[in-house]
Amino acid sequence: MTGVQTCALPILIIAAGQGLRLRPIGDTKPLVSLLGLGLIERVILTAKKSGVKEFCIVTGYHGEKIRKQLSDGGKYGVKIEYVENDEWTRGNAISVLKAKDHFKESFVLLMADHNYDHRILNELLKTKIGKDECILCVDKNPGDHLNIDDATKVQTVDHRIDSIGKDLSDYNCIDTGIFICNPVIFDVLEQSISKGDEGLSGGIKILAQRHKMRYMSLGDNFWIDVDDKTDRKNAELLICNKLKKDTDGPVSRILNRPISLRISKLLLKTGITPNQISIISTVIGLVGASFFFSGEYFYLILGGILIHIHSIVDGCDGEVARLKLRQTKYGGWLDAVLDRYVDAAIIFGLAYGYWNMTGDMTIWIIGFSTLIGTFLNSYTSDKYDSIFKNGDMAKKSKFRMGRDVRLLLIVIGALTNQIPIMLIILAVITNFEAIRRLITFRSKLGEDMQTMNTEFVN
């Protein structure tokens, strides 16, 4: 493919079909919205997460609308070229063949209406491939969300594909429409088309007969072919379920996430950005904290309600960023910094309000201890989570002391007007958790050193 070369392979996307079954939702299938993004936009941005920057898109039906929406790819941070398929009523093999002159080396082939986990492409791009063979990603454990009757079935033998077809009766996996191809694909497609088979599977069958069609299993990673309204609904459920993180605390998992996700889905319909949501969340938190400075019970209740709203909305920025595939390091850093300002304002407001009402100076000592514990709890959380991200999650404490739990305790303390008791509890558990994590760090470091020494001796 022409243009600046990148470390990842270029991608060919097939987007020429009419998509009649999605017509009730939109007249241009690749542009049908899925959680705030067109189907083909999701394909592009998902591939971008794997380091891909070059795309060639084959358009046909309503191709001008696709080109107008995507343009040259600049707004997505990628480069897009287009190939026109004026025979879009024919099989998808014709679309692939139209791009023959654009690819002289290996490339990735994707479908515009398939949504998939970016980790699939990560693994696929690591796979070595011979010049006369291709690789297809297959799903060996298709979920209930997939329409098996309409899917292309695949029979594998050892490390290669033996047969493929929609009407295959003997099969052990499903075609996902995710390939790494060499230019040999164009030769076999020409052969299959000349025999009257204009589907992509026709060329795959020829390679399979030559024992040149390999496969890669998806494992637990998800994918879905969005062909109709039911598929789109299932795709939304799949993507939203992926928002749940191992690092979610109990309050986020049980209480906040179900509410924030509903809010995030509404926000996807607006032009609001994740960073703007972070700022709005911060303003809500600071307003709630300002009520605490009064110390009066009525304002404690108002402040507590606003802090809980802040806790919920605080999850929306990350959700919107992930749903729109627009996560940035700056966005995560901005959210973390703003949260610390809110945390400080809340604790200082509670301490000042109680002192203003009672004159009890000990609340400042309690407040200071709580503030230190809160900041240490936040500071150590990322480091603590990082040591368990590679297979050690089973050893991790099932109860995660995070910001969601801290804010809920503050809300409970405000609503019950038990400020000193709540701050003492918060000071004890946050500082205890910081010490526990420190011990865990040391223990983990000792295990790693012992492993290194054993490997060195062996």
Side-chain angles (χ1 to χ4, degrees):
M1 184 174 176
T2 59
V4 179
Q5 294 299 311
T6 61
C7 58
L9 297 178
I11 286 183
L12 172 62
I13 301 177
I14 304 305
Q18 191 171 0
L20 289 174
R21 283 180 287 176
L22 272 177
R23 185 64 63 80
I25 304 175
D27 63 354
T28 308
K29 185 177 182 181
L31 299 182
V32 167
S33 178
L34 174 61
L35 293 171
L37 287 173
L39 292 174
I40 195 168
E41 290 177 298
R42 285 199 167 274
V43 172
I44 291 169
L45 291 173
T46 301
K48 183 185 175 184
K49 291 181 68 173
S50 298
V52 179
K53 295 292 182 69
E54 287 193 4
F55 297 83
C56 178
I57 301 176
V58 180
T59 60
Y61 180 75
H62 282 182
E64 70 284 353
K65 291 186 178 181
I66 298 173
R67 292 191 293 272
K68 182 179 179 180
Q69 174 64 29
L70 304 181
S71 188
D72 63 356
K75 62 181 176 181
Y76 308 104
V78 301
K79 178 183 177 181
I80 298 176
E81 295 179 358
Y82 297 92
V83 173
E84 181 68 22
N85 177 10
D86 54 2
E87 300 177 277
W88 52 264
T89 56
R90 300 174 66 184
N92 57 5
I94 303 295
S95 290
V96 176
L97 204 53
K98 292 287 184 179
K100 179 178 180 179
D101 294 339
H102 288 255
F103 295 92
K104 305 302 180 185
E105 301 290 341
S106 300
F107 62 96
V108 174
L109 173 60
L110 301 174
M111 309 296 122
D113 55 353
H114 288 201
N115 194 255
Y116 62 96
D117 193 314
H118 76 279
R119 289 174 293 187
I120 297 172
L121 198 53
N122 287 350
E123 291 302 315
L124 191 60
L125 291 171
K126 296 176 185 176
T127 307
K128 294 183 179 180
I129 180 173
K131 289 186 177 182
D132 58 348
E133 62 182 7
C134 297
I135 299 175
L136 168 63
C137 291
V138 299
D139 189 350
K140 287 185 172 290
N141 298 290
D144 295 335
H145 60 276
L146 296 175
N147 184 356
I148 301 299
D149 292 336
D150 191 49
T152 300
K153 289 81 171 176
V154 179
Q155 179 67 40
T156 62
V157 176
D158 297 327
H159 298 291
R160 62 180 179 82
I161 290 175
D162 183 66
S163 54
I164 184 170
K166 283 199 172 186
D167 299 325
L168 210 62
S169 58
D170 185 16
Y171 64 93
N172 56 11
C173 52
I174 299 298
D175 171 10
T176 67
I178 304 172
F179 298 81
I180 280 187
C181 298
N182 270 308
V184 67
I185 190 67
F186 302 120
D187 298 331
V188 295
L189 287 177
E190 287 177 339
Q191 292 179 39
S192 63
I193 291 170
S194 68
K195 297 176 182 178
D197 189 343
E198 296 184 348
L200 182 56
S201 296
I204 304 305
K205 290 176 182 177
I206 294 175
L207 286 176
Q209 292 169 2
R210 299 176 183 176
H211 293 183
K212 295 297 183 180
M213 193 66 214
R214 291 163 51 198
Y215 75 91
M216 187 189 86
S217 178
L218 300 189
D220 295 328
N221 297 317
F222 83 92
W223 76 282
I224 186 169
D225 179 3
V226 183
D227 272 334
D228 53 34
K229 292 173 67 175
T230 300
D231 289 339
R232 188 175 73 157
K233 183 178 180 181
N234 288 333
E236 288 182 353
L237 291 173
L238 277 172
I239 295 170
C240 289
N241 284 336
K242 293 297 177 180
L243 294 177
K244 299 174 183 178
K245 301 181 292 184
D246 292 328
T247 56
D248 277 347
V251 178
S252 288
R253 187 169 56 252
I254 299 170
L255 182 60
N256 289 2
R257 185 74 74 188
I259 301 174
S260 66
L261 188 53
R262 287 180 170 84
I263 298 173
S264 295
K265 286 182 178 180
L266 294 175
L267 294 175
L268 289 173
K269 300 176 182 179
T270 71
I272 194 168
T273 67
N275 288 349
Q276 290 170 343
I277 298 173
S278 295
I279 293 171
I280 292 172
S281 171
T282 299
V283 171
I284 295 172
L286 292 176
V287 172
S290 69
F291 284 121
F292 292 155
F293 280 80
S294 166
E296 296 180 10
Y297 184 46
F298 174 74
Y299 291 104
L300 286 178
I301 293 175
L302 288 180
I305 293 172
L306 284 174
I307 293 305
H308 188 61
I309 294 173
H310 159 76
S311 179
I312 294 172
V313 176
D314 187 49
C316 293
D317 51 2
E319 289 172 353
V320 170
R322 293 196 294 280
L323 287 173
K324 284 197 169 186
L325 298 170
R326 293 298 180 96
Q327 308 99 306
T328 65
K329 290 183 179 180
Y330 175 77
W333 178 81
L334 175 67
D335 182 52
V337 170
L338 293 178
D339 284 350
R340 301 296 78 74
Y341 276 113
V342 174
D343 289 345
I346 289 172
I347 295 171
F348 184 66
L350 288 168
Y352 179 86
Y354 185 81
W355 171 77
N356 188 46
M357 295 292 292
T358 66
D360 186 354
M361 293 295 293
T362 58
I363 195 67
W364 290 110
I365 299 174
I366 297 171
F368 178 76
S369 300
T370 305
L371 187 63
I372 292 296
T374 296
F375 276 33
L376 283 174
N377 191 243
S378 297
Y379 176 74
T380 59
S381 61
D382 288 341
K383 291 180 171 57
Y384 178 68
D385 292 333
S386 67
I387 69 173
F388 292 102
K389 67 181 180 180
N390 293 320
D392 291 327
M393 292 302 297
K395 300 179 182 179
K396 188 176 178 179
S397 172
K398 293 183 179 180
F399 180 83
R400 187 180 190 276
M401 180 60 198
R403 190 169 188 262
D404 59 329
V405 178
R406 300 198 307 266
L407 290 181
L408 182 62
L409 289 175
I410 287 170
V411 171
I412 293 172
L415 296 180
T416 58
N417 199 18
Q418 299 295 322
I419 304 305
I421 294 175
M422 179 272 295
L423 288 178
I424 289 172
I425 293 173
L426 206 53
V428 170
I429 61 177
T430 53
N431 283 284
F432 173 81
E433 179 66 4
I435 294 171
R436 188 189 72 82
R437 289 174 180 177
L438 187 64
I439 295 172
T440 302
F441 293 156
R442 183 175 179 82
S443 175
K444 177 64 176 175
L445 181 62
E447 291 178 6
D448 291 344
M449 289 297 294
Q450 185 175 3
T451 301
M452 289 176 61
N453 289 336
T454 301
E455 291 176 351
F456 179 76
V457 170
N458 291 338

